[in-house]
Amino acid sequence: MAPSLLDLAPVVPVVVIEDASDAVPLARALVAGGLPAIEVTLRTPVALDAIRAIAGEVPEAVVGAGTVLTPEQVKESVAAGARFLVSPGWTDVLLEAMRASGVPFLPGVSTTSEVVALLERGVREMKFFPAQAAGGTAYLRSLAGPLPQARFCPTGGIGPANAAEYLSLPNVGCVGGTWMIPDDAVAARDWGRIEELARAAAGLRAL
């Protein structure tokens, strides 16, 4: 059985790429630092080109598409080479499209009812978003008792100060974040600094 997306690394970098030429060196820096699962959000016009470039030139990366909102985006992302899909929320239409894509997916939830609805539909792995605003570690800890079968990748408001607390929870497999790809480092194309930050993030599981 293939390893779960939630078990590839303790942190999934959530990447917003403005310049497609940054995609490959950024992905190589993250992989070198120990973070192979990379979520490229569909928030910029070059996102699909970035996914295509990473999929084609950085085979050791597991590149996925984030902020997936429509069935059309599901198809475009998989066609570009995305190996997983992440959405900030879900509907039955979007869920069926992601299920039909053949790649792992993390539909977004922020309430107990949404978690129960996904469990009812056979989905056990989900994104918890926006994590801090929706109740943070206290909320997730409360879900672990009645809903132990649900596992989460919390994203939103997570950084080096609180990531370890999230990762210590029994129902959290990994967290998503942007702190290892600061805007100034990307602007300066300081891939060495990004690799160092990625390595520190990858070490969180051992703490």
Side-chain angles (χ1 to χ4, degrees), residues 18 37 39 43 51 58 67 82 107-108 130 152 164:
E18 304 285 354
E39 175 187 334
R43 298 182 198 178
I51 290 170
V58 194
T67 322
F152 301 96

Coordinates of all heavy atoms in Angstrom, one line a residue, residues 18 37 39 43 51 58 67 82 107-108 130 152 164:
E18 N 4.9 33.2 -8.3 CA 4.6 34.3 -9.1 C 5.4 34.2 -10.4 O 4.9 34.8 -11.5 CB 5.0 35.6 -8.4 CG 4.3 35.8 -7.1 CD 2.8 36.1 -7.2 OE1 2.3 36.4 -8.3 OE2 2.1 36.2 -6.1
A37 N 7.0 16.7 -0.3 CA 5.6 17.0 -0.7 C 5.5 18.5 -0.8 O 5.6 19.2 0.2 CB 4.6 16.4 0.3
E39 N 3.0 21.7 -2.1 CA 1.7 22.1 -2.6 C 1.8 23.4 -3.3 O 2.1 24.4 -2.6 CB 0.7 22.2 -1.4 CG -0.7 22.8 -1.7 CD -1.5 23.1 -0.5 OE1 -1.3 22.4 0.5 OE2 -2.4 23.9 -0.7
R43 N -3.2 30.0 -7.2 CA -3.6 31.4 -6.9 C -3.0 32.3 -7.9 O -3.2 33.5 -7.8 CB -3.2 31.8 -5.5 CG -3.9 31.0 -4.4 CD -3.5 31.4 -3.0 NE -3.8 30.5 -2.0 CZ -3.5 30.6 -0.7 NH1 -2.9 31.7 -0.3 NH2 -3.8 29.6 0.1
I51 N 3.7 23.7 -11.7 CA 3.5 22.2 -11.4 C 4.1 21.4 -12.5 O 4.7 20.4 -12.2 CB 2.0 21.9 -11.2 CG1 1.4 22.6 -9.9 CG2 1.7 20.4 -11.2 CD1 -0.1 22.6 -9.8
V58 N 11.9 17.7 -11.4 CA 12.3 17.4 -10.0 C 11.6 16.1 -9.6 O 10.6 16.1 -8.9 CB 12.0 18.5 -9.1 CG1 12.7 18.3 -7.7 CG2 12.4 19.9 -9.6
T67 N -5.5 25.0 -3.3 CA -6.6 25.9 -3.6 C -7.4 25.4 -4.8 O -7.8 26.2 -5.7 CB -6.1 27.3 -3.8 OG1 -5.0 27.6 -2.9 CG2 -7.2 28.4 -3.6
A82 N 0.2 17.1 -11.3 CA 0.0 17.1 -9.8 C -0.3 15.7 -9.3 O -1.1 14.9 -9.9 CB -1.2 18.0 -9.5
P107 N -9.6 17.2 1.2 CA -10.7 18.2 1.2 C -10.6 19.0 2.5 O -10.3 18.4 3.5 CB -11.9 17.4 1.1 CG -11.6 16.0 1.5 CD -10.1 15.8 1.4
G108 N -10.9 20.3 2.4 CA -10.8 21.1 3.6 C -12.0 21.1 4.5 O -13.1 21.1 4.0
P130 N -9.3 27.2 8.2 CA -8.0 27.8 8.6 C -7.7 27.4 10.0 O -8.4 27.8 10.9 CB -8.2 29.3 8.4 CG -9.7 29.5 8.7 CD -10.4 28.2 8.2
F152 N -5.7 14.7 10.0 CA -5.7 16.0 9.4 C -4.3 16.5 9.1 O -3.3 16.1 9.7 CB -6.3 17.0 10.5 CG -7.7 16.6 10.9 CD1 -7.9 15.9 12.0 CD2 -8.8 17.1 10.1 CE1 -9.2 15.6 12.4 CE2 -10.1 16.7 10.5 CZ -10.3 16.0 11.7
A164 N 5.1 22.2 16.2 CA 5.4 21.0 16.9 C 4.2 20.6 17.8 O 3.9 19.5 18.0 CB 6.7 21.3 17.8

